[in-house]
Each structure stands twice: as structure tokens, then as C-alpha cells.
Amino acid sequence: MRLKNIAVMTGILLALAGTTVTAQSLKGMSLNGSTGLIGIPSGRIGWEHSANVGLDLGYHAILADPTAHIPKVSMSLFQVAEISFAYDTNGGDDNEDIIIGGKLQLPTRGTAVALGANFQMLQQNGTSDNAQQIYLAATYPGTFLGMSAETTVVVGKTFGAGAGDGDIDFGMGFDLLLFPDVFQGYVHWINDFANFSYSRQAAGANAQQRGAFNTGIRIDLAANPNLSRFKFVIDALLTDALDDNRTFGLGVAFGVPIR
């Protein structure tokens, strides 16, 4: 069932995405702190073409029962590398997790490709476990009905914390600049579908069971010319939107170029 769902969603996302050049990517933060969509990283880094050193601060709340709070920080270095850190309360009660990640962007043209990894220090009722993920992420531009779009594909492998030896991580996502003539470039529709979550002990969506589809609206306040030097993003999310355990999420990210 999980593989069938992945195949269907992959086909839909590929059908939506074209191959023509688009506007500059928004480069928001995913739930685990890396530059990406909702649950998956992208091939981009936070300040890949605009600053040798850039700092992003973010926060997401997953409105499960209880609410999980995920503050995070990431730093872009020399327009090719990124390191990130996220603290996931996961509802508290000795379930807090720490996720440390990094990615290195390869010197490709047109399509942004990055090699990445993260280390997850997981707590469950006072006991600890660790997981590690490695991945290759590619993000390429396109258009859909005349609107700028980006499609991301991720392939990787997770080790530890109950990950199956034969399991392969796969995810795909889509970022659409929604009706720019109407919303003046402020509103993005973001989606991703994957058989892995932002961590092995994710709040809300448990993508390891059969895959999870996440969707939401990302508002880019830096589309205002007075804020264009910075990054200022607001997220309204629905995780695991196609299953009855769907949850809502809210988030914000703010970034500044340092050098």
C-alpha cells in the first residue's frame, strides 16, 4: 500500500511540474530545521546565492495531543553548505528529541542538488535511542498554468531506531507560487509526500507506516520590497492530510544575511 501511494503521488507531482526557468526559490525551513518543504529537505540551502554566511531562526508547532513545539536554527556557509539544529518537545514527558543536520550543495546548474545527513537523538519515556539518515535531494524549477513552481525529489536511507535494513527513503514535494497576479508573490502552496518523516519519532504524521502527504500555505513576507533583504516566512500546515490522524501545524521562520 505504501509503495502504491508513493507511485500515485509521484505521478501527480511530476505531471504538475514543468521544466522552464522560474522565479527565485523561497527556501523556507522544513520541520527538522533543514531548508526544505514540510517533512522533506530540498536540494537548496538557505542563502545559496545571496550571502556567504546566513542565519535562519524558526519555530513550528504541531497541534497534536499534546502539542509539539519545534524551535530550530540553521546557518548557511559560503553559499554551498548548511548546518541545522532542531529541538522537538514531542509533547514532553521525557519524549524530547534533538535533530542535527547538514547538507552540501553540489556544483550543478539549473537543478539544485545536495548531499545531506542528519543525526537524531530520540527520547521515549526516559529511554534514549538514536537514528541517522543520509540522503540525496534534487530540486528543479518549472511552471504550472503559468505559475512558478519547484519540484523536489529525495532518496536516502535511515539507520537505527527501528529502521528496516531493506527500507529506502523516498520523498517528493512541490512548491507553487500561487496566483502571483492576485497575491503579489506572497503566497506559496507547498506539498510533500514521503515514506519517512522529519524524524523517526515525529509528532503528528507517522510516514513510516504507509507514507504521509503533507500540504500547506507558506506566506513570504519578504516579497515586500522593504523586507526583501531578509527571510520572513509564515506556515500553515496540514500533516498526514489523507489519513484520519491528520494534524495541523503553524510555523514561522526569519533569516538574515550576516556576511
Side-chain angles (χ1 to χ4, degrees):
M1 178 65 72
R2 184 178 71 181
L3 293 177
K4 180 179 179 181
N5 289 340
I6 290 174
V8 171
M9 293 306 302
T10 299
I12 293 173
L13 291 169
L14 282 172
L16 289 176
T19 57
T20 57
V21 176
T22 64
Q24 183 178 359
S25 169
L26 176 56
K27 296 188 285 291
M29 299 180 81
S30 65
L31 290 175
N32 71 5
S34 64
T35 297
L37 296 172
I38 302 173
I40 68 173
S42 71
R44 300 196 177 278
I45 62 173
W47 296 87
E48 61 188 9
H49 299 306
S50 50
N52 285 330
V53 180
L55 179 67
D56 291 347
L57 301 174
Y59 165 81
H60 281 92
I62 305 299
L63 306 181
D65 186 20
T67 297
H69 304 277
I70 315 175
K72 63 203 70 179
V73 60
S74 71
M75 179 169 285
S76 301
L77 300 170
F78 313 117
Q79 303 187 29
V80 296
E82 175 182 285
I83 55 175
S84 60
F85 173 91
Y87 177 77
D88 183 1
T89 67
N90 214 336
D93 295 329
D94 293 325
N95 293 328
E96 299 87 352
D97 305 325
I98 293 173
I99 307 168
I100 300 172
K103 65 170 75 170
L104 180 66
Q105 195 174 69
L106 303 181
T108 57
R109 293 186 179 182
T111 299
V113 180
L115 289 171
N118 59 65
F119 180 67
Q120 306 165 23
M121 292 174 279
L122 311 175
Q123 297 288 327
Q124 182 65 42
N125 298 323
T127 63
S128 61
D129 203 351
N130 296 328
Q132 307 83 36
Q133 183 190 39
I134 57 175
Y135 61 85
L136 176 70
T139 299
Y140 57 94
T143 59
F144 173 60
L145 297 179
M147 294 178 285
S148 298
E150 283 198 332
T151 299
T152 292
V153 178
V154 181
V155 178
K157 175 66 178 171
T158 299
F159 306 90
D165 291 339
D167 291 347
I168 301 296
D169 296 339
F170 178 81
M172 195 165 188
F174 186 70
D175 177 352
L176 178 69
L177 182 59
L178 195 62
F179 302 116
D181 292 339
V182 176
F183 297 116
Q184 301 299 305
Y186 284 94
V187 180
H188 291 242
W189 181 34
I190 55 174
N191 305 268
D192 60 40
F193 186 85
N195 64 350
F196 64 94
S197 299
Y198 68 89
S199 84
R200 287 294 298 179
Q201 186 174 278
N206 182 2
Q208 288 80 29
Q209 290 183 348
R210 67 185 192 102
F213 172 67
N214 308 309
T215 187
I217 294 295
R218 178 164 282 172
I219 300 174
D220 178 19
L221 297 180
N224 185 318
N226 295 323
L227 298 174
S228 61
R229 182 171 175 266
F230 305 99
K231 182 185 298 182
F232 199 169
V233 174
I234 298 174
D235 290 342
L237 309 173
L238 186 62
T239 66
D240 209 0
L242 302 182
D243 286 339
D244 61 4
N245 66 334
R246 64 187 61 86
T247 55
F248 291 95
L250 296 172
V252 62
F254 178 75
V256 294
I258 297 176
R259 178 173 169 277

